[in-house]
Amino acid sequence: MLDIVRLRVLLAVSRTGSVTAAARELHYAQPSVSHHLARLEAETGAKLVQRVGRGIRLTEAGRLLAERAAEILGRLDSASAELAAHVGLRAGRVRLAAFPSALGTFVPEAAVRLAHDHPGLDLRLAEAEPPEALRMLRAGDVDVAVVFQYGPHGAAEGAGLRTTPLLDEPSLLVVPGSGPPATALRDHAESRWIAGCDRCRAHLLDLCALAGFEPRISFTTDDYVAVQAMVAAGLGVAVLPRLALSAHRHPGVQVTELPGSTRRVFAATYGEPPDPPAIAALLAALR
């Protein structure tokens, strides 16, 4: 059977890149870290680390075990928090990851409601875009992930994932306030566009393709405050979800709703129902 302490040592070595740094992080003596690694190799029958100059690196087997160790240890930490929650919501911890515009709008309101209803519950918040939030959820680093997707299918699918719908929001065409009124996408086929990163701009490309053109993307940023500032300055036009405008609305832009373009926002949890009381309380506050 794998030893939990030794898995923590392996994960620390994977994270820090050296025995010395892992010992410092874990508050262990350096020989103790080396001993645990050696014992873990003996237990598994696999070579987990190899010397590289004055340092070490994980072998393929070591990387595989470190990835599983992250999931196992995350689940153990979650189990500890859930057990505390089952004792009662007077104490305990619940962890939430959410994308920026959710953190800038309804998540703080949910946090206030949760604190009012369960004042002893410790809520931890982390900012993460959907792919990273779901990775954190599967690894046990968070208990709930607030994510979004366009269309009927998206990243929040897979074994063990369950979703709670929160809201549907339209996409908005954002143009300079000093120019003509905001109009349809096709009227901006020759405009410069401001878009998100390669992973995030797929929705814009799909919308423009349906309108019969490919956007000329001149600026790239995922910061919705920066997007609106650039639009207001006349550097281009953009498409943003309504939550982004609810979190921050630049006075120098005007918007119009794009029909047929909906972003679905929901809370994702991992594992079989029922949810532990702390997670159920957080989901209720989000709803």
Side-chain angles (χ1 to χ4, degrees):
M1 181 179 294
L2 295 175
D3 184 277
I4 296 301
V5 173
R6 290 168 190 152
L7 289 179
R8 289 194 186 278
V9 169
L10 179 67
L11 188 58
V13 170
S14 172
R15 188 165 49 241
T16 63
S18 76
V19 169
T20 301
R24 188 181 306 116
E25 178 180 293
L26 296 169
H27 304 289
Y28 287 179
Q30 186 171 327
S32 179
V33 171
S34 298
H35 171 75
H36 281 303
L37 289 175
R39 291 298 304 154
L40 189 58
E41 288 187 330
E43 291 171 354
T44 59
K47 185 69 173 175
L48 302 176
V49 297
Q50 58 186 170
R51 292 284 177 184
V52 180
R54 295 186 176 181
I56 64 171
R57 69 182 178 191
L58 269 60
T59 64
E60 186 64 30
R63 287 192 293 271
L64 174 62
L65 184 57
E67 290 175 1
R68 295 294 178 262
E71 297 177 8
I72 292 167
L73 295 172
R75 289 293 157 205
L76 281 174
D77 290 341
S78 294
S80 297
E82 290 169 9
L83 184 59
H86 274 292
V87 174
L89 288 176
R90 296 181 303 277
R93 179 193 68 181
V94 64
R95 302 160 299 172
L96 170 69
F99 54 92
S101 56
L103 286 173
T105 50
F106 65 87
V107 169
E109 297 178 19
V112 170
R113 179 181 295 273
L114 186 68
H116 177 269
D117 294 342
H118 307 286
L121 193 58
D122 180 19
L123 173 63
R124 309 285 180 87
L125 298 176
E127 178 183 313
E129 293 292 345
E132 175 63 12
L134 291 175
R135 186 204 65 76
M136 295 170 69
L137 180 65
R138 290 188 175 97
D141 296 329
V142 297
D143 305 299
V144 179
V146 172
V147 296
F148 63 81
Q149 68 184 36
Y150 292 97
H153 304 292
E157 297 175 346
L161 284 177
R162 293 180 291 118
T163 58
T164 299
L166 297 179
L167 62 97
D168 291 343
E169 57 171 337
S171 296
L172 305 174
L173 174 63
V174 186
V175 303
S178 59
T183 51
L185 277 179
R186 61 179 175 272
D187 296 324
H188 292 277
E190 302 301 321
S191 299
R192 292 185 298 176
W193 285 84
I194 303 163
C197 65
D198 291 341
R199 177 180 54 79
C200 302
R201 69 180 60 177
H203 181 59
L204 171 64
L205 296 177
D206 290 342
L207 288 176
C208 293
L210 289 174
F213 71 95
E214 181 177 347
R216 179 163 59 97
I217 297 174
S218 300
F219 301 96
T220 298
T221 177
D222 290 321
D223 185 333
Y224 55 79
V225 176
V227 169
Q228 293 181 61
M230 287 191 282
V231 171
L235 297 178
V237 298
V239 168
L240 290 175
R242 175 174 285 170
L243 277 181
L245 278 296
S246 299
H248 169 81
R249 175 68 180 266
H250 194 291
V253 303
Q254 55 180 319
V255 303
T256 189
E257 184 175 320
L258 297 174
S261 174
T262 301
R263 186 171 83 163
R264 301 171 59 220
V265 179
F266 45 87
T269 54
Y270 189 76
E272 296 298 321
D275 291 311
I279 294 177
L282 175 57
L283 291 175
L286 289 167
R287 285 196 299 268

